[in-house]
Short mmCIF file of all heavy atoms in Angstrom, two decimals:
data_model
loop_
_atom_site.label_atom_id
_atom_site.label_comp_id
_atom_site.label_asym_id
_atom_site.label_seq_id
_atom_site.Cartn_x
_atom_site.Cartn_y
_atom_site.Cartn_z
N HIS A 34 18.21 13.73 17.28
CA HIS A 34 18.21 14.51 16.01
C HIS A 34 19.51 15.08 15.83
O HIS A 34 19.83 15.55 14.67
CB HIS A 34 17.11 15.61 16.14
CG HIS A 34 17.35 16.66 17.12
ND1 HIS A 34 17.00 16.35 18.43
CD2 HIS A 34 17.77 17.89 17.06
CE1 HIS A 34 17.25 17.42 19.10
NE2 HIS A 34 17.77 18.37 18.32
N LEU A 35 20.43 15.14 16.77
CA LEU A 35 21.68 15.68 16.59
C LEU A 35 22.77 14.63 16.07
O LEU A 35 23.89 15.02 15.78
CB LEU A 35 22.21 16.38 18.03
CG LEU A 35 21.45 17.37 18.54
CD1 LEU A 35 21.85 17.82 19.88
CD2 LEU A 35 21.31 18.56 17.62
N ARG A 36 22.33 13.48 16.12
CA ARG A 36 23.27 12.45 15.60
C ARG A 36 23.64 12.56 14.15
O ARG A 36 22.75 12.83 13.34
CB ARG A 36 22.76 11.00 15.95
CG ARG A 36 22.68 10.88 17.47
CD ARG A 36 22.31 9.40 17.76
NE ARG A 36 21.97 9.16 19.17
CZ ARG A 36 21.05 8.49 19.68
NH1 ARG A 36 20.13 8.04 18.81
NH2 ARG A 36 20.78 8.40 20.91
N VAL A 37 24.85 12.32 13.80
CA VAL A 37 25.38 12.56 12.49
C VAL A 37 24.92 11.22 11.60
O VAL A 37 24.68 11.48 10.41
CB VAL A 37 26.91 12.62 12.42
CG1 VAL A 37 27.34 12.82 11.00
CG2 VAL A 37 27.14 13.79 13.35
N HIS A 38 24.99 10.08 12.04
CA HIS A 38 24.70 8.90 11.33
C HIS A 38 23.26 8.72 10.80
O HIS A 38 22.99 7.89 9.98
CB HIS A 38 25.09 7.56 12.05
CG HIS A 38 24.30 7.35 13.24
ND1 HIS A 38 24.41 7.93 14.45
CD2 HIS A 38 23.22 6.53 13.31
CE1 HIS A 38 23.52 7.51 15.31
NE2 HIS A 38 22.74 6.65 14.70
N ILE A 39 22.34 9.54 11.31
CA ILE A 39 20.95 9.48 10.87
C ILE A 39 20.75 10.35 9.59
O ILE A 39 21.06 11.59 9.67
CB ILE A 39 19.95 9.84 11.86
CG1 ILE A 39 20.13 8.91 13.09
CG2 ILE A 39 18.59 9.94 11.36
CD1 ILE A 39 19.20 9.28 14.21
N LEU A 40 20.33 9.87 8.48
CA LEU A 40 20.28 10.55 7.32
C LEU A 40 18.94 11.38 7.34
O LEU A 40 17.94 10.93 7.88
CB LEU A 40 20.21 9.70 6.05
CG LEU A 40 21.40 8.90 5.90
CD1 LEU A 40 21.20 7.79 4.67
CD2 LEU A 40 22.63 9.72 5.51
N PRO A 41 18.90 12.56 6.83
CA PRO A 41 17.63 13.35 6.73
C PRO A 41 16.61 12.66 5.85
O PRO A 41 17.00 11.94 4.91
CB PRO A 41 18.12 14.71 6.27
CG PRO A 41 19.43 14.53 5.48
CD PRO A 41 20.01 13.31 6.16
N PHE A 42 15.32 12.97 6.12
CA PHE A 42 14.26 12.49 5.20
C PHE A 42 14.39 13.02 3.84
O PHE A 42 14.62 14.23 3.63
CB PHE A 42 12.94 12.73 5.81
CG PHE A 42 11.80 12.08 5.34
CD1 PHE A 42 11.56 10.67 5.74
CD2 PHE A 42 10.95 12.54 4.39
CE1 PHE A 42 10.53 9.95 5.25
CE2 PHE A 42 9.98 11.72 3.81
CZ PHE A 42 9.76 10.56 4.29
N PRO A 43 14.42 12.16 2.82
CA PRO A 43 14.61 12.58 1.48
C PRO A 43 13.42 13.46 0.90
O PRO A 43 12.28 13.36 1.49
CB PRO A 43 14.71 11.25 0.52
CG PRO A 43 13.97 10.32 1.41
CD PRO A 43 14.15 10.72 2.87
N TRP A 44 13.75 14.23 -0.02
CA TRP A 44 12.52 15.13 -0.65
C TRP A 44 11.63 14.21 -1.44
O TRP A 44 12.13 13.28 -2.02
CB TRP A 44 13.22 16.27 -1.47
CG TRP A 44 14.05 17.21 -0.64
CD1 TRP A 44 15.31 17.36 -0.47
CD2 TRP A 44 13.39 18.33 -0.02
NE1 TRP A 44 15.62 18.37 0.38
CE2 TRP A 44 14.44 19.06 0.64
CE3 TRP A 44 12.02 18.76 0.05
CZ2 TRP A 44 14.06 20.17 1.44
CZ3 TRP A 44 11.82 19.95 0.90
CH2 TRP A 44 12.88 20.63 1.44
N ILE A 45 10.43 14.52 -1.49
CA ILE A 45 9.49 13.77 -2.16
C ILE A 45 9.37 14.40 -3.56
O ILE A 45 9.17 15.66 -3.76
CB ILE A 45 8.07 13.81 -1.51
CG1 ILE A 45 8.15 13.29 -0.12
CG2 ILE A 45 6.99 13.24 -2.34
CD1 ILE A 45 6.93 13.34 0.76
N ASN A 46 9.38 13.51 -4.60
CA ASN A 46 9.29 13.91 -5.99
C ASN A 46 7.75 14.12 -6.27
O ASN A 46 6.93 13.14 -6.34
CB ASN A 46 9.87 12.76 -6.86
CG ASN A 46 9.86 13.26 -8.33
OD1 ASN A 46 9.19 14.13 -8.75
ND2 ASN A 46 10.71 12.45 -9.14
N GLU A 47 7.36 15.28 -6.48
CA GLU A 47 5.90 15.59 -6.67
C GLU A 47 5.38 15.02 -7.99
O GLU A 47 4.30 14.54 -7.98
CB GLU A 47 5.79 17.15 -6.85
CG GLU A 47 5.89 17.76 -5.50
CD GLU A 47 5.63 19.26 -5.54
OE1 GLU A 47 4.67 19.77 -6.28
OE2 GLU A 47 6.41 20.14 -4.85
N CYS A 48 6.15 14.98 -8.94
CA CYS A 48 5.68 14.29 -10.27
C CYS A 48 5.49 12.84 -10.01
O CYS A 48 4.57 12.32 -10.64
CB CYS A 48 6.82 14.52 -11.35
SG CYS A 48 7.11 16.30 -11.83
N ARG A 49 6.31 12.25 -9.34
CA ARG A 49 6.17 10.82 -9.12
C ARG A 49 4.87 10.43 -8.24
O ARG A 49 4.21 9.43 -8.53
CB ARG A 49 7.39 10.12 -8.38
CG ARG A 49 7.29 8.66 -8.11
CD ARG A 49 7.27 7.84 -9.39
NE ARG A 49 7.22 6.47 -9.08
CZ ARG A 49 6.44 5.55 -9.79
NH1 ARG A 49 5.73 6.01 -10.85
NH2 ARG A 49 6.35 4.31 -9.44
N VAL A 50 4.64 11.30 -7.28
CA VAL A 50 3.51 11.24 -6.43
C VAL A 50 2.20 11.36 -7.26
O VAL A 50 1.31 10.56 -7.12
CB VAL A 50 3.53 12.22 -5.26
CG1 VAL A 50 2.11 12.22 -4.49
CG2 VAL A 50 4.64 11.94 -4.27
N GLN A 51 2.20 12.31 -8.16
CA GLN A 51 1.06 12.52 -9.13
C GLN A 51 0.89 11.32 -9.94
O GLN A 51 -0.30 10.89 -10.24
CB GLN A 51 1.27 13.79 -9.89
CG GLN A 51 0.96 15.07 -9.07
CD GLN A 51 -0.37 15.14 -8.44
OE1 GLN A 51 -1.41 14.78 -8.97
NE2 GLN A 51 -0.39 15.70 -7.21
N GLU A 52 1.96 10.69 -10.46
CA GLU A 52 1.91 9.52 -11.36
C GLU A 52 1.34 8.37 -10.61
O GLU A 52 0.33 7.54 -11.04
CB GLU A 52 3.21 9.16 -11.80
CG GLU A 52 3.87 10.11 -12.90
CD GLU A 52 5.30 9.78 -13.18
OE1 GLU A 52 5.72 8.62 -12.91
OE2 GLU A 52 5.85 10.48 -13.90
N LEU A 53 1.75 8.18 -9.19
CA LEU A 53 1.24 7.11 -8.46
C LEU A 53 -0.28 7.31 -8.10
O LEU A 53 -1.12 6.44 -8.22
CB LEU A 53 1.95 6.87 -7.16
CG LEU A 53 3.41 6.45 -7.48
CD1 LEU A 53 4.11 6.61 -6.09
CD2 LEU A 53 3.42 5.02 -7.89
N LEU A 54 -0.66 8.45 -7.84
CA LEU A 54 -2.06 8.82 -7.59
C LEU A 54 -2.97 8.62 -8.86
O LEU A 54 -4.03 7.90 -8.72
CB LEU A 54 -2.29 10.34 -7.06
CG LEU A 54 -1.76 10.63 -5.74
CD1 LEU A 54 -1.95 12.11 -5.41
CD2 LEU A 54 -2.71 9.80 -4.57
N GLN A 55 -2.49 9.02 -10.00
CA GLN A 55 -3.36 8.85 -11.22
C GLN A 55 -3.41 7.32 -11.47
O GLN A 55 -4.46 6.83 -11.94
CB GLN A 55 -2.65 9.60 -12.29
CG GLN A 55 -3.46 9.68 -13.56
CD GLN A 55 -4.81 10.30 -13.35
OE1 GLN A 55 -4.84 11.35 -12.58
NE2 GLN A 55 -5.84 9.88 -13.85
N GLU A 56 -2.38 6.50 -11.44
CA GLU A 56 -2.26 5.15 -11.56
C GLU A 56 -3.23 4.40 -10.66
O GLU A 56 -4.06 3.63 -11.11
CB GLU A 56 -0.93 4.71 -11.34
CG GLU A 56 -0.66 3.24 -11.75
CD GLU A 56 0.89 2.92 -11.50
OE1 GLU A 56 1.68 3.54 -12.06
OE2 GLU A 56 1.07 1.83 -10.69
N GLY A 57 -3.24 4.89 -9.36
CA GLY A 57 -4.31 4.19 -8.42
C GLY A 57 -5.65 4.59 -8.85
O GLY A 57 -6.55 3.73 -8.61
N LEU A 58 -6.02 5.80 -9.22
CA LEU A 58 -7.32 6.21 -9.62
C LEU A 58 -7.77 5.43 -10.83
O LEU A 58 -8.93 4.90 -10.88
CB LEU A 58 -7.39 7.64 -9.96
CG LEU A 58 -7.34 8.61 -8.73
CD1 LEU A 58 -7.28 10.11 -9.11
CD2 LEU A 58 -8.66 8.40 -7.83
N THR A 59 -6.95 5.20 -11.78
CA THR A 59 -7.39 4.41 -12.93
C THR A 59 -7.78 3.03 -12.61
O THR A 59 -8.63 2.40 -13.24
CB THR A 59 -6.28 4.51 -14.15
OG1 THR A 59 -5.03 4.20 -13.66
CG2 THR A 59 -6.24 5.95 -14.65
N ARG A 60 -6.91 2.57 -11.74
CA ARG A 60 -7.18 1.10 -11.27
C ARG A 60 -8.43 1.04 -10.58
O ARG A 60 -9.13 0.05 -10.70
CB ARG A 60 -5.93 0.56 -10.47
CG ARG A 60 -4.96 -0.32 -11.21
CD ARG A 60 -4.11 -1.03 -10.30
NE ARG A 60 -2.91 -0.05 -10.09
CZ ARG A 60 -2.17 -0.01 -8.99
NH1 ARG A 60 -2.48 -0.74 -7.98
NH2 ARG A 60 -1.20 0.82 -8.99
N SER A 61 -8.74 1.93 -9.65
CA SER A 61 -9.89 1.85 -8.77
C SER A 61 -11.06 2.16 -9.48
O SER A 61 -12.26 1.75 -9.06
CB SER A 61 -9.69 2.73 -7.53
OG SER A 61 -9.75 4.08 -8.00
N GLN A 62 -11.07 2.90 -10.66
CA GLN A 62 -12.35 3.15 -11.34
C GLN A 62 -12.93 1.90 -11.99
O GLN A 62 -14.28 1.82 -12.15
CB GLN A 62 -12.07 4.20 -12.55
CG GLN A 62 -11.90 5.56 -11.89
CD GLN A 62 -11.43 6.61 -12.92
OE1 GLN A 62 -11.12 6.26 -14.05
NE2 GLN A 62 -11.47 7.81 -12.50
N GLY A 63 -12.11 1.03 -12.39
CA GLY A 63 -12.65 -0.23 -13.04
C GLY A 63 -13.13 -1.31 -12.09
O GLY A 63 -13.87 -2.06 -12.30
N ALA A 64 -12.64 -1.10 -10.86
CA ALA A 64 -12.96 -2.20 -9.80
C ALA A 64 -14.29 -1.78 -9.12
O ALA A 64 -14.63 -0.61 -8.90
CB ALA A 64 -11.77 -2.21 -8.80
N PRO A 65 -15.05 -2.84 -8.55
CA PRO A 65 -16.22 -2.55 -7.92
C PRO A 65 -15.93 -1.94 -6.53
O PRO A 65 -14.91 -2.20 -5.97
CB PRO A 65 -16.90 -3.98 -7.72
CG PRO A 65 -15.77 -4.91 -7.93
CD PRO A 65 -14.76 -4.37 -8.75
N PRO A 66 -16.82 -1.13 -5.97
CA PRO A 66 -16.60 -0.46 -4.74
C PRO A 66 -16.54 -1.57 -3.67
O PRO A 66 -17.23 -2.49 -3.56
CB PRO A 66 -17.82 0.39 -4.58
CG PRO A 66 -18.79 -0.23 -5.41
CD PRO A 66 -18.16 -0.82 -6.57
N ALA A 67 -15.50 -1.34 -2.80
CA ALA A 67 -15.24 -2.26 -1.56
C ALA A 67 -16.30 -1.94 -0.51
O ALA A 67 -16.48 -0.74 -0.07
CB ALA A 67 -13.86 -2.07 -1.03
N THR A 68 -17.09 -2.89 -0.13
CA THR A 68 -18.06 -2.77 0.84
C THR A 68 -17.89 -3.75 1.98
O THR A 68 -17.42 -4.86 1.66
CB THR A 68 -19.52 -2.77 0.34
OG1 THR A 68 -19.60 -4.12 -0.13
CG2 THR A 68 -19.88 -1.70 -0.62
N ARG A 69 -18.18 -3.34 3.23
CA ARG A 69 -18.07 -4.20 4.31
C ARG A 69 -19.37 -5.14 4.40
O ARG A 69 -20.35 -4.54 4.29
CB ARG A 69 -17.84 -3.44 5.54
CG ARG A 69 -17.50 -4.28 6.70
CD ARG A 69 -17.16 -3.49 7.90
NE ARG A 69 -16.96 -4.40 8.99
CZ ARG A 69 -17.07 -3.96 10.38
NH1 ARG A 69 -17.23 -2.77 10.61
NH2 ARG A 69 -16.77 -4.85 11.37
N GLY A 70 -19.05 -6.38 4.56
CA GLY A 70 -20.24 -7.30 4.50
C GLY A 70 -20.98 -7.35 5.88
O GLY A 70 -20.85 -8.44 6.45
N ASP A 71 -21.64 -6.36 6.26
CA ASP A 71 -22.41 -6.47 7.52
C ASP A 71 -23.62 -7.31 7.35
O ASP A 71 -24.28 -7.13 6.36
CB ASP A 71 -22.85 -5.01 8.10
CG ASP A 71 -21.65 -4.24 8.64
OD1 ASP A 71 -20.65 -4.89 8.98
OD2 ASP A 71 -21.76 -3.02 8.64
N LYS A 72 -23.78 -8.28 8.21
CA LYS A 72 -24.93 -9.16 8.09
C LYS A 72 -26.03 -8.45 8.78
O LYS A 72 -26.12 -8.31 10.07
CB LYS A 72 -24.49 -10.45 8.72
CG LYS A 72 -23.49 -11.25 8.13
CD LYS A 72 -23.27 -12.49 8.92
CE LYS A 72 -22.00 -13.12 8.18
NZ LYS A 72 -21.60 -14.45 8.94
N LYS A 73 -27.16 -8.28 8.07
CA LYS A 73 -28.28 -7.65 8.48
C LYS A 73 -29.31 -8.82 8.84
O LYS A 73 -29.26 -9.93 8.34
CB LYS A 73 -28.96 -6.72 7.51
CG LYS A 73 -28.14 -5.56 7.18
CD LYS A 73 -28.88 -4.49 6.34
CE LYS A 73 -27.96 -3.25 6.28
NZ LYS A 73 -28.66 -2.17 5.62
N CYS A 74 -30.13 -8.57 10.01
CA CYS A 74 -31.01 -9.47 10.33
C CYS A 74 -32.26 -8.88 10.90
O CYS A 74 -32.21 -7.59 11.25
CB CYS A 74 -30.32 -10.56 11.32
SG CYS A 74 -29.89 -9.61 12.90
N VAL A 75 -33.20 -9.52 11.28
CA VAL A 75 -34.38 -9.07 11.96
C VAL A 75 -34.01 -8.86 13.34
O VAL A 75 -33.38 -9.81 14.10
CB VAL A 75 -35.56 -10.03 11.86
CG1 VAL A 75 -36.77 -9.53 12.66
CG2 VAL A 75 -35.94 -10.14 10.47
N VAL A 76 -34.27 -7.73 13.96
CA VAL A 76 -33.80 -7.29 15.31
C VAL A 76 -34.79 -8.00 16.28
O VAL A 76 -35.92 -7.96 16.13
CB VAL A 76 -33.74 -5.80 15.56
CG1 VAL A 76 -33.32 -5.50 17.04
CG2 VAL A 76 -32.82 -5.17 14.56
N PRO A 77 -34.21 -8.79 17.28
CA PRO A 77 -35.17 -9.43 18.20
C PRO A 77 -35.81 -8.44 19.01
O PRO A 77 -35.28 -7.42 19.50
CB PRO A 77 -34.19 -10.26 18.97
CG PRO A 77 -32.85 -9.68 18.88
CD PRO A 77 -32.81 -9.01 17.56
N ALA A 78 -37.09 -8.60 19.18
CA ALA A 78 -37.92 -7.71 19.93
C ALA A 78 -37.72 -7.73 21.36
O ALA A 78 -37.77 -6.82 22.16
CB ALA A 78 -39.47 -7.83 19.62
N GLY A 79 -37.40 -8.89 21.93
CA GLY A 79 -37.26 -9.08 23.35
C GLY A 79 -38.62 -9.16 24.07
O GLY A 79 -39.73 -9.07 23.41
N PRO A 80 -38.60 -9.21 25.35
CA PRO A 80 -39.87 -9.37 26.16
C PRO A 80 -40.61 -8.01 26.14
O PRO A 80 -39.94 -6.97 25.91
CB PRO A 80 -39.42 -9.69 27.50
CG PRO A 80 -37.99 -9.33 27.60
CD PRO A 80 -37.37 -9.34 26.19
#
């Protein structure tokens, strides 16, 4: 962390973050919910 050639982490633009979040929300509202396709079956009773 004392090295000079490493640039500090840039500040985050809060307005841009909000825009990206809003954009993602509007895209996800129209899409069907993502579900994992677990295959259900009749559980074997065994002996």
Side-chain angles (χ1 to χ4, degrees):
H34 63 284
L35 300 174
R36 295 192 187 131
V37 181
H38 67 277
I39 298 177
L40 299 173
F42 195 78
W44 290 97
I45 297 176
N46 184 345
E47 290 181 40
C48 294
R49 181 66 182 140
V50 170
Q51 287 301 323
E52 288 173 11
L53 290 172
L54 286 173
Q55 192 61 38
E56 189 178 302
L58 283 173
T59 54
R60 259 191 274 146
S61 67
Q62 286 175 348
T68 58
R69 188 173 175 199
D71 288 336
K72 295 179 183 175
K73 293 189 178 192
C74 63
V75 175
V76 179

